[in-house]
Amino acid sequence: MGKQKQQVISRFFAPKSKTPSNPSSPSPSSSTPNRSLPNPPTPPPKISATVTFSPSKRLLSSQLSSPNPKPSKLPKLSPHTHNPIPPSLHQKFLHRLLEPSPTLPEPSTSQTPKTKYTPLEQQVVDLKNKYPDVLLMVEVGYKYRFFGEDAEIASRVLGIYAHRDHNFMTASVPTFRLNVHVRRLVSAGYKVGVVKQTETAAIKAHGANRMGPFCRGLSALYTKATLEAAEDMGGEEEGCRGESNYLVCVVEKSVLEKNLECGLESGFDVRIGMVAVEISTGEVVYAEFNDNFMRSGLEAVVLSLLPAELLLGEPLSKQTEKLLLAYAGPASNVRVEHASLECFKDGGALAEVMSLYENMSEYNLADNPKQSTEVAEQGNHRFAIEGILSMPDLAVQALALTIRHLKQFGFERILCLGASFKPFSSNMEMTLSANTLQQLEVLKNSSDGSESGSLLQSMNRTLTIFGSRLLRHWVIHPLCDRNMISARLDAVSEVVESMGSSRALQNIGGLDGEDSDITIVQPEFSYLLSSVLTNLGRSPDIQRGITRIFHQTATPSEFIAVIQAILYAGKQLQQLHIEDEDNSNNLKAKTVRSELLRKLILTVSSSSVIGNAAKLLSTINKEAADEKDLQNLIVITNGQFPEVARARKEVQLSKEKLDSLIDLYRKKLGMRKLEFVSVSGTTHLIELPLDLKVPLSWVKVNSTKKMIRYHPPEVLTALDQLSLANEKLNIACQAAWDSFLKEFSKYYAEFQAAVQALATLDCLHSLATLCRNKNYVLPDFCYDDEPIHICAGRHPVLDTTLQDNFVPNDTNLHADREYCQIVTGPNMGGKSCYIRQVALIAIMAQEVNVAGPRVFYFLSPELLFLEEIFHLVFKCHSIVLWKFALVRLGWFLCTGIISKLHVLDGIYTRMGASDSIQQGRSTFLEELSEASHIIHNCTARSLVIIDELGRGTSTHDGVAIAYATLHHLLQQKRCMVLFVTHYPKIADIRTEFPGSVGAYHVSYLTSHKDMDMEDSKTDHEDVIYLYKLVTGVSERSFGFKVAQLAQLPSSCISRATVMASRLEALLSCRAGNRSKNKWLLEKLLIDNEQKVQENMLETPECFCSGGTGDLEDINNAYKEFFLNLKAAISDDDLARSFQFLNHARSIAKELISRLR
C-alpha cells in the first residue's frame, strides 16, 4: 500500500514528458530536446484504490473525471491587480495526481502476475473447483473455517464475523459447535461439506509430508434429506426433530407423444414416475401414475410426503416444474437439484440399478469370505431384485437417478440392503387427494400452516417419535381392507378394555418355587405397554438410530443407547409370555387375545432379537463409550479384531520401555527416589533442583523458583514412539469399530421389524388413549347395502376447542335410498362444519376410532317449534340462559352410541375459494378443477363433499354448473354426496331423483317483532343459530348479519338492504307474472292449435304458392312459433327472451306473407 502510494505521489515531482503544444502559445519546455525516458514501472490499474480523499476532494475528483463537465466559471481575480490568481501548489498537486497517465500502455493479460496462494488457500481452491456447489467448512486447528463466498454466506446465515485474510474473506466457528452450525446452514437450504485433516501431527511427523501442510479431504456431505443419517449429526443435537425428511426424485414422459387419442380421452397429458427415500429410516416409496394438466396427482404426493429435497429428472414439462418450484419456494428452504435422464435411455436405468446390487454382492463376498455360502444362498438379493423388476419403468428411472445422487453421500447401500420398498398407493389403503388434505386440515391448519388445530394434532397421543411418524402415515392413508380394519379394531378394543380394568400396579414377574398351586400374577397389559413406550420416548429415536448404525455413522454411545432400548422393550414384553403360549398347547385363557397385538409383541420380544441385542452389547465397553475412549471401546473375545490386539500390545510395550528409563536416570543422577512427573498434560518429566547440573542434551521444558523440569533425549524418542503407537492403535480401533458396524447389516432387517412393531404398538396405544379420554366409540362397519348412521357426530378438532358448547349432529345415508344431502342455511350457521365432520369421522373410522360421544345433551326437533322457546330466549337475552333453556326443554341421554359406517375407497372435497396466481389459475378455475378431479376419480364407494360450487362466476352460470355437477354425480357415479349451497334452486333436483336426495338446513331462530313485518326478508331481525341440522330448504342466508360482524359501515348495510328488498320484490313480481302468463299461454296454445288444424283442413290452398299447399310445413311453422313464444315468456333471462320473441316474430311474418 505504501509503495503504491509512493509511486503515485512521485509522478508529481517527476519531469513532464513531451506533449504536443499549441504553436500560438509556445512553452519553455518545447525547447528542451526530446529524450527517451526509461520505461516507468507499471502503475496500479486503479489509483482510487490506493488513495483516499476527504469529501471535498472526492467532489473535485468527480468533477475532473466526469465525461461531460459543466462549463467552468471565470477565474477568480485579484482584488488589487484584477489579474487571475495563479493556482496554489496544493491545487497543482491535486490536478496532477488525478489526471490519467498520458501514454502508459495497458498491461496485457498474459503478463498479469498470478495470485499467489498460501498452501491452505491452494487446498481450498482445489476443493472448491472439485465441489463447486458445496459450502465448505475446512478444519484448521480447533476451528472450521469458511473461505470466499462461503464465508459471506456463513456470516449472513450464522450471524458470525467475516473478515479478509490474505486473498479471501474468511469466517470461522469452533469445532465443538460443528453440529449446530451445520444444521442451521442445511436448514437454510445449502449443501454443506466438511473438510477434515486426514493425518495427525504424529503421523505427519513420520511421513513424507512432514514439511508440507496437513492433508485435507472432504469427509462428509450434508443436505436436509441426508442430515439425520450422516456422521456426527444424529441423536439429540439442537434442531433435531422427528419429522420425515424425504428425498423425492421426479421424472415424467408425455402421454400425448405415445398415444394422443388415449391421452385426450382420459384427460391426462403426462405420466409421472416418483421415488421418495427417507434415508434416516430406510423407507422407500415409489409410484407411477398419469396426471392431468393441473398436476393434481403430483400435488397430492408432494403434500403427503412433504419432501425436504427434490431431485428433478430433466426434461420436465413446464407445468410439473412450476408446481415443484412453487412448493420449493424461498420460504420453504427446500433444496432442488437437477439431473439429466439422457444417460438412462435404452434400458440404462435398469442396468444402473442392477450394477449396484452386483457391486454390493461382490463387496460383501470380498469382506466376508467365510460367509460366501450364506451370501450365495441369498441369491444375490434375489427378493430385492424381483421387487425392482416389478417396479414400473419410470419409477426405475427415478430410482437410478436417486442411486447416482446418493453415491456422493455414501448412502446408496440402504437401497439394496436395508430399504423397505412400498408403493405410494395400494388397494389396501386410501390415498387422500391434495384438496382433501388441505381443505379438511388433515396435517396442517389453513391459517398459519402449522400442525396446531389439525386432525393429526388432535389425534396424536403417541409417546415415541417413530410412533408419531407412523401415525401420520395412518392419518393420510386410512385402510380400505375390511379384514385389516377389523384386526386393528380388535387391537384397539383390547387396549381400551385393559385400560379400563387396570387399577393398580401388580407384581411383575413370577414367584420362586415349584408349587403349581401358586398363581403367577401377570402384569396388566396396558400398564406394561405404557411403561415400555414411555421409556422408549425418553430414549433416542431408535428407528433412525438403527439406520445410522447401518450407515456406519452412529457413535458408540448412540449404538449402546439404541440397542439397550430395544433390549429393554423386548425383555419387558417378554413377561407376557406370548412366545411360550404359542409353543405350548396350553388351553388356558390367553394373556392377549388380539392376533395383531400378539404378532407385534412376538416380533419385539422374540428370543432372537433379545439374544442378538445382548450379543452386540457384550462387544462394547460401556464405560469407554461414555468417556469416548476409542482405544478401550472394543472388547476382544475369541480372537476377534487381531489388529487391535497387536496395536494394543505395541502401545503397552512402548509404555513399558518409557517407564523403564527412570531406572537409567536414577543411576546417572544418584537419586533412588527419582520419579517421572506430569505437569499440565506434559508427561514423563524429570524434576531437578536449580543447582543440579544435567547434560547439555537434556531439553528444559519449564521451571519454578526452586525446580527445573527436563526431557532427556531418550525420553523424547520414547514419547515419539509411544505417540506413533497410539495413533496406530486409534486407526486400528476405528477400523475395528467400522467393521463392527458393518457386521450389523445382517441384523438390520430383524431390528427394523422390531422397531416397526413398536411403532405400531405406540399408534394402537395412542388411539386407545384417545378413545378413553374423549369418550369416543369404536365404529361398526356394515356392508354397502346397509344404511350409514352416525349418531351425535362431532368435529374432532372443534369439539376439543369448544368442549361442551359444541352441538352434535346425526348423519343418515343409504346407498339404495337417500345417498345425497343438499344442505342450505344461513352464513356461519355450521354447514361447512357439518360436512367436514362427516368426512373427518370417516377418516378416523377407517383409521380405527370415530368421533362420537357417549354422553351428550340432545334437543328434541319437535321442541324447536314451540312458542315458549322464543319467549324464553328473547326475554333473557343471554347465551348462558339460552343453553340452559335448551337443556331444560330437552332431555339427558346417557347411553352408548353405535355408529355404522361403510368402508370407503376415497374421500373427495371441494371447499373454499382461493386462486393460484403463480400457476396462472383463477378462483373459478380452481373450483372447476377440483370438481373435475372428483368426477374423474370418485366411485360408488366414495364420499364426496362439495361446498359452494359455482360461486366464482355469474349467478346463472354458477347455478347451472353446480346443478349439472350434482346431477352427474347422482346419475353416473351414485356416490354418497354432501352438497352445501346457497342456491335454493338446486334443491329442485329432488324431483329428478325422488327418494335419493334429501334437503336439509341448519336451523336458526328469529325474533317475533320482525316476523310479522311486510319486508320480513330484509335480514334486519335478530337471529340465533342453533347449529342443528333439520329437514327442509332454507330460503335465507342472513348475509347482512355477516356484514355487521365484519363491521361494514352502517350506510353500506342499509343501502344493501334496500337494494335486496327491491330485487326480491322484482323477482316476486316476475314469478307472479310468469305463473299467470304460463296459464294464459297454455290455454292460448290449445285454442290456437285447434283453430289452425281446422283452417288447414278447410282451406289448405291459401297457404301455398300456385294454389297447392304443404300442410306439414305449415303445421311445423305454427308449432315452432308457439314454442318460441312459450320459451320467451317462461325464461328469466331478458336477453334470451328477446331472442325467442324475435324468432317468433320472423316466423309470424313468414306465415303472413304466405297468406297474402
Side-chain angles (χ1 to χ4, degrees):
M1 186 72 177
K3 184 176 181 180
Q4 291 177 348
K5 190 171 182 180
Q6 284 182 354
Q7 293 175 357
V8 173
I9 296 176
S10 64
R11 291 171 52 198
F12 177 74
F13 300 100
K16 293 185 178 180
S17 60
K18 184 177 180 180
T19 57
S21 59
N22 192 351
S24 61
S25 57
S27 61
S29 61
S30 62
S31 60
T32 306
N34 188 8
R35 300 175 182 176
S36 60
L37 300 176
N39 293 332
T42 303
K46 291 185 179 180
I47 299 176
S48 59
T50 60
V51 181
T52 303
F53 302 105
S54 64
S56 61
K57 295 176 182 178
R58 284 198 297 267
L59 178 61
L60 177 60
S61 173
S62 63
Q63 293 175 354
L64 292 174
S65 60
S66 60
N68 297 317
K70 296 181 180 180
S72 60
K73 297 182 180 180
L74 294 175
K76 190 175 181 181
L77 302 180
S78 171
H80 305 287
T81 61
H82 299 285
N83 293 326
I85 299 178
S88 64
L89 182 64
H90 176 68
Q91 292 176 340
K92 290 181 180 180
F93 172 75
L94 288 180
H95 278 280
R96 184 64 183 275
L97 179 65
L98 297 174
E99 68 180 1
S101 300
T103 58
L104 294 178
E106 290 288 336
S108 61
T109 57
S110 60
Q111 298 178 356
T112 302
K114 294 183 179 180
T115 306
K116 187 176 182 179
Y117 296 117
T118 64
L120 174 61
E121 289 178 340
Q122 187 61 50
Q123 285 183 341
V124 173
V125 170
D126 295 340
L127 288 169
K128 199 63 182 177
N129 292 333
K130 190 175 182 181
Y131 308 102
D133 60 334
V134 180
L135 193 151
L136 296 178
M137 300 178 69
V138 183
E139 183 184 20
V140 182
Y142 297 100
K143 293 181 179 180
Y144 283 100
R145 293 181 61 183
F146 304 89
F147 293 90
E149 186 180 354
D150 294 347
E152 298 177 5
I153 295 173
S155 176
R156 182 177 66 253
V157 177
L158 304 179
I160 59 178
Y161 176 68
H163 61 94
R164 191 171 189 85
D165 184 16
H166 292 86
N167 297 297
F168 296 107
M169 294 291 291
T170 183
S172 62
V173 294
T175 54
F176 64 89
R177 296 280 289 175
L178 173 67
N179 54 350
V180 176
H181 295 299
V182 167
R183 285 186 177 276
R184 293 175 63 184
L185 290 169
V186 166
S187 298
Y190 294 98
K191 181 194 287 187
V192 180
V194 174
V195 178
K196 291 186 177 181
Q197 298 173 178
T198 58
E199 58 183 358
T200 62
I203 296 177
K204 182 175 179 294
H206 292 80
N209 189 37
R210 65 170 65 98
M211 300 302 295
F214 282 96
C215 295
R216 294 178 174 88
L218 188 69
S219 64
L221 272 177
Y222 303 103
T223 60
K224 293 184 74 173
T226 62
L227 184 66
E228 298 301 333
E231 187 177 4
D232 299 330
M233 291 295 129
E236 302 175 353
E237 287 86 354
E238 177 185 341
C240 179
R241 294 181 290 176
E243 69 269 11
S244 298
N245 295 312
Y246 282 100
L247 165 67
V248 175
C249 179
V250 179
V251 300
E252 73 173 16
K253 69 176 181 180
S254 175
V255 176
L256 299 178
E257 290 181 1
K258 184 176 181 181
N259 192 338
L260 178 64
E261 199 172 311
C262 175
L264 290 175
E265 288 180 358
S266 59
F268 303 122
D269 61 347
V270 294
R271 187 164 182 82
I272 294 178
M274 179 275 302
V275 166
V277 184
E278 224 299 7
I279 303 166
S280 63
T281 62
E283 182 182 2
V284 181
V285 180
Y286 65 90
E288 183 172 331
F289 52 89
N290 293 327
D291 212 349
N292 55 18
F293 180 79
M294 308 304 291
R295 300 297 186 266
S296 56
L298 181 60
E299 186 179 11
V301 171
V302 170
L303 292 181
S304 298
L305 299 176
L306 297 178
E309 193 172 350
L310 292 173
L311 180 61
L312 308 184
E314 295 180 341
L316 289 178
S317 61
K318 291 183 179 180
Q319 291 78 14
T320 301
E321 192 168 4
K322 185 184 294 185
L323 183 140
L324 294 174
L325 294 181
Y327 167 77
S332 66
N333 291 329
V334 175
R335 181 174 178 80
V336 179
E337 293 202 11
H338 300 265
S340 176
L341 286 172
E342 293 296 329
C343 56
F344 294 143
K345 289 184 177 180
D346 301 328
L350 186 59
E352 176 82 12
V353 177
M354 291 297 103
S355 65
L356 174 66
Y357 282 86
E358 292 174 0
N359 294 336
M360 293 308 302
S361 299
E362 296 174 359
Y363 183 69
N364 291 334
L365 283 170
D367 287 350
N368 302 297
K370 296 181 180 179
Q371 299 178 4
S372 59
T373 304
E374 180 181 350
V375 175
E377 289 177 356
Q378 293 178 359
N380 295 327
H381 314 283
R382 178 172 55 86
F383 297 107
I385 293 177
E386 288 179 357
I388 296 296
L389 294 176
S390 63
M391 290 175 60
D393 293 339
L394 289 180
V396 172
Q397 292 183 21
L399 179 61
L401 276 182
T402 305
I403 291 174
R404 179 166 293 188
H405 177 76
L406 291 180
K407 282 182 178 179
Q408 60 181 317
F409 301 92
F411 293 144
E412 70 277 7
R413 290 177 63 242
I414 196 67
L415 295 175
C416 57
L417 293 180
S420 55
F421 284 81
K422 62 180 182 181
F424 177 76
S425 59
S426 64
N427 296 330
M428 301 295 181
E429 295 179 344
M430 180 196 309
T431 301
L432 301 180
S433 64
N435 295 331
T436 304
L437 294 175
Q438 290 178 323
Q439 295 166 0
L440 295 182
E441 300 178 314
V442 176
L443 300 176
K444 297 180 179 180
N445 65 51
S446 57
S447 56
D448 59 358
S450 65
E451 193 175 297
S452 177
S454 65
L455 176 65
L456 177 61
Q457 187 265 343
S458 66
M459 294 182 62
N460 193 352
R461 300 293 186 274
T462 55
L463 300 175
T464 64
I465 298 176
F466 49 91
S468 177
R469 284 196 294 268
L470 181 60
L471 182 66
R472 184 184 183 276
H473 176 80
W474 283 13
V475 170
I476 60 179
H477 292 280
L479 294 176
C480 292
D481 185 76
R482 188 179 297 271
N483 295 328
M484 297 176 66
I485 293 175
S486 300
R488 197 178 286 180
L489 278 172
D490 295 340
V492 175
S493 301
E494 185 164 351
V495 178
V496 173
E497 181 182 351
S498 178
M499 288 178 176
S501 63
S502 181
R503 292 291 181 264
L505 177 63
Q506 300 183 8
N507 296 328
I508 299 179
L511 299 176
D512 295 334
E514 299 179 356
D515 191 354
S516 60
D517 294 333
I518 297 178
T519 302
I520 299 178
V521 180
Q522 299 292 343
E524 286 289 342
F525 170 62
S526 64
Y527 175 81
L528 185 62
L529 180 61
S530 178
S531 64
V532 169
L533 295 175
T534 303
N535 183 272
L536 291 175
R538 301 191 186 103
S539 303
D541 189 347
I542 62 175
Q543 186 179 33
R544 284 179 169 166
I546 62 169
T547 308
R548 285 173 52 78
I549 296 172
F550 176 82
H551 289 307
Q552 304 177 28
T553 58
T555 61
S557 57
E558 183 182 359
F559 179 90
I560 292 176
V562 170
I563 302 301
Q564 276 186 342
I566 297 175
L567 180 62
Y568 167 80
K571 286 185 176 181
Q572 288 295 102
L573 294 177
Q574 202 175 37
Q575 300 178 49
L576 297 173
H577 302 287
I578 303 297
E579 190 172 8
D580 296 339
E581 291 177 358
D582 290 342
N583 294 333
S584 65
N585 295 325
N586 192 359
L587 299 179
K588 294 182 179 180
K590 294 182 179 180
T591 308
V592 178
R593 300 185 306 274
S594 168
E595 290 299 326
L596 177 60
L597 288 177
R598 293 177 65 86
K599 181 179 179 181
L600 295 173
I601 295 171
L602 184 60
T603 303
V604 178
S605 62
S606 66
S607 57
S608 176
V609 171
I610 295 176
N612 289 331
K615 176 183 175 183
L616 291 172
L617 288 175
S618 65
T619 312
I620 305 299
N621 186 346
K622 186 177 184 303
E623 290 75 14
D626 295 337
E627 297 174 1
K628 299 182 179 180
D629 183 5
L630 184 62
Q631 294 184 355
N632 298 315
L633 179 64
I634 303 296
V635 178
I636 299 177
T637 57
N638 300 326
Q640 291 180 324
F641 309 109
E643 296 83 2
V644 176
R646 286 194 296 267
R648 285 179 179 176
K649 186 175 181 179
E650 186 177 349
V651 170
Q652 185 64 29
L653 292 175
S654 298
K655 287 182 179 180
E656 292 176 356
K657 180 180 178 180
L658 186 60
D659 293 338
S660 65
L661 291 176
I662 193 64
D663 296 331
L664 175 63
Y665 301 124
R666 285 172 183 170
K667 293 178 181 180
K668 281 186 177 182
L669 300 175
M671 302 173 66
R672 295 182 178 179
K673 296 183 178 181
L674 184 65
E675 297 288 345
F676 285 127
V677 297
S678 300
V679 178
S680 300
T682 305
T683 63
H684 295 85
L685 293 169
I686 295 180
E687 191 174 55
L688 300 175
L690 292 175
D691 55 353
L692 186 63
K693 293 184 179 181
V694 298
L696 296 177
S697 60
W698 287 31
V699 179
K700 178 183 176 181
V701 178
N702 51 45
S703 63
T704 63
K705 291 183 179 180
K706 297 181 179 180
M707 309 294 288
I708 300 179
R709 302 183 184 100
Y710 299 94
H711 263 161
E714 297 83 3
V715 172
L716 289 176
T717 303
L719 284 174
D720 197 14
Q721 293 177 354
L722 178 61
S723 177
L724 183 60
N726 280 323
E727 290 296 337
K728 292 181 179 179
L729 178 59
N730 288 334
I731 294 174
C733 290
Q734 185 64 50
W737 171 246
D738 293 340
S739 175
F740 174 74
L741 293 180
K742 187 177 179 180
E743 287 293 321
F744 178 80
S745 60
K746 61 185 178 183
Y747 306 111
Y748 176 73
E750 184 178 31
F751 282 110
Q752 188 186 41
V755 174
Q756 190 69 18
L758 287 171
T760 306
L761 287 172
D762 192 13
C763 291
L764 296 175
H765 182 269
S766 172
L767 296 176
T769 304
L770 184 68
C771 289
R772 184 194 61 181
N773 293 346
K774 290 196 173 185
N775 287 328
Y776 287 171
V777 296
L778 300 177
D780 180 17
F781 283 96
C782 56
Y783 290 96
D784 295 342
D785 56 349
E786 298 181 42
I788 291 179
H789 177 62
I790 301 176
C791 187
R794 294 171 176 264
H795 193 289
V797 179
L798 294 182
D799 185 39
T800 304
T801 306
L802 301 177
Q803 297 180 357
D804 294 337
N805 295 326
F806 189 86
V807 179
N809 275 297
D810 299 345
T811 302
N812 295 285
L813 295 170
H814 199 294
D816 296 329
R817 299 174 192 171
E818 183 180 298
Y819 58 92
C820 173
Q821 291 183 354
I822 298 177
V823 184
T824 58
N827 289 292
M828 299 180 64
K831 304 184 298 298
S832 298
C833 177
Y834 167 70
I835 61 174
R836 286 172 193 251
Q837 83 180 26
V838 174
L840 292 176
I841 286 172
I843 294 175
M844 295 172 67
Q846 292 185 216
E847 188 192 339
V848 169
N849 55 349
V850 66
R854 297 179 185 274
V855 180
F856 67 102
Y857 293 108
F858 179 75
L859 180 65
S860 173
E862 293 80 8
L863 296 180
L864 292 174
F865 303 98
L866 294 179
E867 190 72 19
E868 58 184 6
I869 293 181
F870 299 101
H871 291 293
L872 180 60
V873 170
F874 293 105
K875 183 184 293 185
C876 61
H877 290 285
S878 171
I879 297 298
V880 177
L881 292 178
W882 164 241
K883 294 176 183 175
F884 174 75
L886 293 182
V887 174
R888 289 295 301 273
L889 292 172
W891 59 83
F892 184 79
L893 291 182
C894 181
T895 179
I897 300 174
I898 299 176
S899 297
K900 293 185 177 182
L901 296 169
H902 289 175
V903 178
L904 304 175
D905 64 355
I907 297 175
Y908 301 93
T909 64
R910 207 268 34 105
M911 308 181 74
S914 62
D915 56 14
S916 181
I917 299 177
Q918 292 182 348
Q919 300 181 19
R921 305 180 188 177
S922 66
T923 302
F924 191 51
L925 178 59
E926 286 286 338
E927 288 186 30
L928 297 187
S929 298
E930 294 170 5
S932 174
H933 176 76
I934 293 173
I935 290 175
H936 283 94
N937 292 277
C938 69
T939 66
R941 296 177 56 230
S942 302
L943 173 64
V944 175
I945 61 174
I946 298 179
D947 189 2
E948 306 283 349
L949 178 63
R951 64 180 177 180
T953 184
S954 64
T955 302
H956 296 293
D957 291 349
V959 172
I961 291 175
Y963 190 97
T965 302
L966 181 59
H967 190 279
H968 181 88
L969 292 173
L970 295 176
Q971 187 178 49
Q972 303 294 332
K973 300 294 184 177
R974 293 190 59 84
C975 55
M976 286 174 287
V977 183
L978 300 179
F979 198 95
V980 172
T981 183
H982 281 289
Y983 301 140
K985 199 76 175 173
I986 295 180
D988 295 342
I989 202 172
R990 291 176 295 175
T991 59
E992 296 190 46
F993 301 93
S996 299
V997 181
Y1000 298 84
H1001 70 278
V1002 285
S1003 56
Y1004 57 90
L1005 299 176
T1006 54
S1007 58
H1008 269 297
K1009 59 183 181 181
D1010 289 330
M1011 290 293 291
D1012 298 332
M1013 295 177 60
E1014 293 181 0
D1015 56 343
S1016 60
K1017 295 186 179 181
T1018 59
D1019 282 353
H1020 256 317
E1021 58 268 32
D1022 294 331
V1023 183
I1024 292 181
Y1025 297 150
L1026 303 182
Y1027 304 108
K1028 201 70 181 176
L1029 194 70
V1030 295
T1031 57
V1033 179
S1034 175
E1035 297 291 339
R1036 312 185 58 189
S1037 295
F1038 298 100
F1040 298 117
K1041 294 301 175 184
V1042 181
Q1044 291 176 0
L1045 290 176
Q1047 297 183 353
L1048 259 66
S1050 57
S1051 59
C1052 294
I1053 297 176
S1054 300
R1055 183 169 182 81
T1057 305
V1058 173
M1059 291 295 297
S1061 301
R1062 293 178 181 176
L1063 291 174
E1064 289 183 1
L1066 180 60
L1067 290 176
S1068 300
C1069 181
R1070 285 183 179 178
N1073 293 335
R1074 191 182 302 115
S1075 61
K1076 293 179 182 179
N1077 292 337
K1078 185 177 181 181
W1079 180 79
L1080 293 174
L1081 182 61
E1082 289 178 353
K1083 185 176 181 181
L1084 180 63
L1085 287 172
I1086 295 173
D1087 295 342
N1088 285 333
E1089 285 181 1
Q1090 292 178 355
K1091 291 181 179 179
V1092 168
Q1093 292 178 0
E1094 293 175 358
N1095 291 334
M1096 285 190 299
L1097 291 174
E1098 292 176 358
T1099 57
E1101 65 279 0
C1102 63
F1103 295 103
C1104 61
S1105 59
T1108 62
D1110 191 349
L1111 295 179
E1112 185 175 356
D1113 291 342
I1114 298 298
N1115 190 17
N1116 292 335
Y1118 270 103
K1119 286 183 179 180
E1120 187 177 358
F1121 169 76
F1122 286 113
L1123 287 175
N1124 279 273
L1125 190 61
K1126 181 179 179 180
I1129 296 175
S1130 60
D1131 201 315
D1132 294 335
D1133 193 345
L1134 296 179
R1136 290 175 60 84
S1137 298
F1138 187 71
Q1139 292 178 359
F1140 286 128
L1141 287 174
N1142 279 336
H1143 194 201
R1145 181 184 178 187
S1146 62
I1147 295 174
K1149 286 183 177 180
E1150 183 180 355
L1151 291 173
I1152 292 173
S1153 63
R1154 290 190 178 187
L1155 285 172
R1156 294 176 181 176

